[in-house]
Amino acid sequence: MSYDREGLIASAREAMMKAYAPYSNFYVGAAFLMEDGTVITGCNIENASYGAANCAERTAIFKAVSEGRRDFKALALCGGPKGVVDKACYPCGICRQVLNEFCKKDMEILVATDSGYETTTLAEILPYSFSLEDW
Ligand code: THU
């Protein structure tokens, strides 16, 4: 599959810098590439009531779905303390489940670091997943 991986990672980085994370100081950015080339981004948004925080991945998915878009093609992610991305920040468990609702199992996920990126898929990071479509 050919697309601008570096460009998608740059979008995730840009989104990460918009994180609202005054409680954890951990900034995360997500950028989805849609089938028509559109990029839809998200950042984590925290709250004084800690449990109300929303992860970057879910911000981006909810933005897309609420605009009628579900044609997810690839996802780039980056995150770290105050935006220092010295290691790969993989999606949390809740976000993996939400990704599973809308994205194909073989969707490419790029997890960026300062020195490059790691490539994975939803199938790889969410084995034995739960979906009502399996029944
Ligand atoms: N966070 C994300 O945005 N995505 C993840 O997959 C992991 C965690 C956010 C949530 C919270 O604002 C901060 O990172 C620290 O957990």
Side-chain angles (χ1 to χ4, degrees), residues 17-130:
M17 297 321 294
K18 299 189 174 99
Y20 176 73
Y23 305 103
S24 72
N25 285 313
F26 195 93
Y27 302 172
V28 186
F32 279 102
L33 178 65
M34 311 305 282
E35 289 292 350
D36 69 351
T38 309
V39 172
I40 298 179
T41 61
C43 62
N44 54 325
I45 304 171
E46 298 186 344
N47 193 279
S49 176
Y50 295 173
N54 202 58
C55 289
E57 298 89 325
R58 278 177 287 145
T59 300
I61 291 190
F62 295 157
K63 277 175 66 182
V65 173
S66 63
E67 296 292 335
R69 302 294 304 260
R70 298 181 191 173
D71 51 326
F72 300 103
K73 179 173 172 177
L75 169 63
L77 289 174
C78 63
K82 292 200 168 150
V84 176
V85 187
D86 52 8
K87 60 181 182 178
C89 173
Y90 279 74
C92 80
I94 296 174
C95 288
R96 292 176 198 208
Q97 181 64 27
V98 173
L99 289 165
N100 193 55
E101 190 75 23
F102 294 105
C103 306
K104 296 190 191 81
K105 295 298 235 182
D106 64 351
M107 184 186 74
E108 195 166 85
I109 301 175
L110 310 174
V111 187
T113 65
D114 278 337
S115 53
Y117 60 88
E118 297 173 11
T119 305
T120 187
T121 62
L122 186 53
E124 204 169 66
I125 64 169
L126 191 66
Y128 306 104
S129 62
F130 176 74

